[in-house]
Amino acid sequence: MSDVLRIVVAGGGTGGHVYPGLAVVERLGERLTTHALFVGTRGGVEESILSRAGCDYRLLPGYGLRRASTARKVASPLMLAVGVARACKVLSQFRPDVVLGTGGYASAAVVVASIALRIPRVLQEQNSVPGLVNRRLARHADLVLLGYEESRAGLAPGVRTLVVGNPLRRMPTPSRAEAATYFGLDPTRETVLIVGGSRGAHSLNIAGADAAARLAPRGVQFVILCGVADRADVTQRTAGVASRVRVLDYLDEMHFAYALCDLAIARSGASSVFELALFGVPAVFVPYPYAADAHQESNAAPLVRAGGAVLVRDAELSGERLTAEIEALLASPERRDAMSHAMRAWSTPDAAGRAADAILTVAKKKEYAALTERLAA
């Protein structure tokens, strides 16, 4: 049996469908020589993420069906057929030992192609409510890796699953002083992170900018990750307090933001939820109201129940409401300490390693032949 693993990772549409694949490949490379090919969809966020990461990748035609036009929905079977045909060619040329589908429309064609070519396949579901592609294809998978125990209820009976948590990339743990230097801020001042995910979040950006304009004059610092579309608007709204506010459209080095902030205001995509939990950052989650099957609210629910986070619905969001939430939490260091402890206690720091080990069993690498059974025990 070869000590080299060849893996195709398919997924995209959002950063939450890309980063877990990167994290798993990182851990696989620590276990044995790994050749990875990432496959996404043209026009998705995955192209920029994979390019910055220096990955080998291919892009196929395709698009999501939720909120798609009627014409696109009618044409979707043809588009999928074209995607599957091209995916079959990619897989035949690359000859992977295993395919990992991380969800989103970008993974559908590749996973279907792996079924046709009889290549072992693993699906990875980040969210508490499984996405459409993973729900439809789960019964054809050798194994489905889950981020949440609650996800099992969304899959058909008999699907083989393993709950590992959400795989996260290895991130450094800088000191607060180092993180403050990175942003050019004061390490002694209370700092709030506002982050809406890989594409930003308009309502969160505007409410966050309003809260920053109110609280920065009182000494509170802000790091606002707002996406490209809102950067000019947010910058303008916080121009009067620019010395205490850092506005960025995107940040690869999220560990600096987590190390500096005393509190995070965030959407509750799975990557954000698990990263904030890992770093023990108290959070106010504002779920994206149009997320499929309201999965972002479900993602946040366990942290809210555990006492690590507060939930504010998007319909209730305003600069005034956000200011009040921030003031209440900053005024109580004891409450924030308890929230931080709850976040860390809930986190799954070795999710990527457990996912990598499980994938190796499916790829039939003999040195990992019994690992899935031991992990599930």
Side-chain angles (χ1 to χ4, degrees):
M1 186 69 68
S2 172
D3 60 353
V4 175
L5 178 75
R6 298 180 68 82
I7 182 171
V8 166
V9 182
T14 68
H17 289 304
V18 180
Y19 291 120
L22 290 170
V24 169
V25 168
E26 179 182 61
R27 297 301 198 284
L28 286 168
E30 295 170 358
R31 286 152 170 75
L32 76 173
T33 301
T34 300
H35 297 312
L37 175 66
F38 290 80
V39 181
T41 300
R42 293 192 191 114
V45 70
E46 54 266 34
E47 182 172 7
S48 60
I49 294 173
L50 296 171
S51 178
R52 286 196 302 270
C55 298
D56 187 12
Y57 65 90
R58 305 287 185 273
L59 300 176
L60 301 177
Y63 47 78
L65 292 182
R66 291 187 184 274
R67 295 187 300 279
S69 67
T70 301
R72 283 198 158 200
K73 288 179 179 178
V74 170
S76 63
L78 176 60
M79 181 61 71
L80 178 61
V82 171
V84 170
R86 295 189 184 180
C88 283
K89 182 177 181 180
V90 169
L91 295 180
S92 296
Q93 291 174 341
F94 188 75
R95 298 171 62 88
D97 299 298
V98 64
V99 166
L100 173 63
T102 61
Y105 58 82
S107 71
V110 177
V111 174
V112 172
S114 74
I115 297 169
L117 296 175
R118 298 185 178 181
I119 299 169
R121 68 211 69 93
V122 176
L123 302 183
Q124 191 269 327
E125 177 57 55
Q126 308 86 34
N127 294 300
S128 58
V129 180
L132 178 63
V133 171
N134 281 348
R135 288 203 305 271
R136 295 279 179 86
L137 296 177
R139 63 191 179 91
H140 300 289
D142 295 278
L143 180 66
V144 181
L145 301 171
L146 303 177
Y148 291 81
E149 180 69 38
E150 293 87 343
S151 303
R152 282 188 167 129
L155 299 176
V159 171
R160 189 182 182 202
T161 62
L162 181 65
V163 180
V164 297
N166 196 33
L168 300 177
R169 300 161 294 167
R170 289 199 187 280
M171 288 188 279
T173 53
S175 68
R176 186 180 179 94
E178 290 170 333
T181 299
Y182 178 86
F183 291 109
L185 294 172
D186 185 344
T188 67
R189 293 188 181 276
E190 294 170 321
T191 305
V192 178
L193 169 66
I194 298 176
V195 54
S198 58
R199 293 181 179 272
H202 181 70
S203 60
L204 192 57
N205 291 338
I206 301 309
D210 189 0
R214 294 168 186 246
L215 293 173
R218 305 181 210 171
V220 182
Q221 299 178 144
F222 285 79
V223 175
I224 305 177
L225 308 181
C226 60
V228 175
D230 283 344
R231 183 170 183 175
D233 192 4
V234 172
T235 300
Q236 182 179 9
R237 289 170 182 267
T238 58
V241 290
S243 64
R244 291 182 181 157
V245 179
R246 296 294 175 267
V247 180
L248 303 169
D249 52 12
Y250 189 81
L251 180 66
D252 274 320
E253 297 83 4
M254 285 298 296
H255 49 278
F256 286 116
Y258 296 143
L260 179 61
C261 69
D262 300 281
L263 173 66
I265 316 298
R267 291 296 197 206
S268 45
S271 292
S272 293
V273 169
F274 280 84
E275 286 183 2
L276 289 167
L278 181 66
F279 279 80
V281 180
V284 176
F285 287 125
V286 185
Y288 178 55
Y290 306 110
D293 304 306
H295 72 256
Q296 285 209 2
E297 188 162 337
S298 297
N299 286 351
L303 275 303
V304 175
R305 289 196 298 268
V310 174
L311 188 139
V312 175
R313 291 183 173 82
D314 195 83
E316 303 165 356
L317 185 65
S318 67
E320 184 177 4
R321 172 68 186 275
L322 199 54
T323 298
E325 295 287 350
I326 293 170
E327 285 179 320
L329 289 168
L330 292 184
S332 179
E334 297 82 5
R335 184 183 177 193
R336 293 202 314 276
D337 285 346
M339 293 174 72
S340 178
H341 178 77
M343 293 289 272
R344 290 184 189 277
W346 183 86
S347 69
T348 56
D350 194 35
R354 296 188 74 207
D357 289 340
I359 288 166
L360 286 169
T361 70
V362 172
K364 295 182 170 54
K365 296 298 175 181
K366 64 181 178 182
E367 60 269 38
Y368 288 89
L371 262 174
T372 296
E373 287 75 14
R374 295 207 301 271
L375 286 168

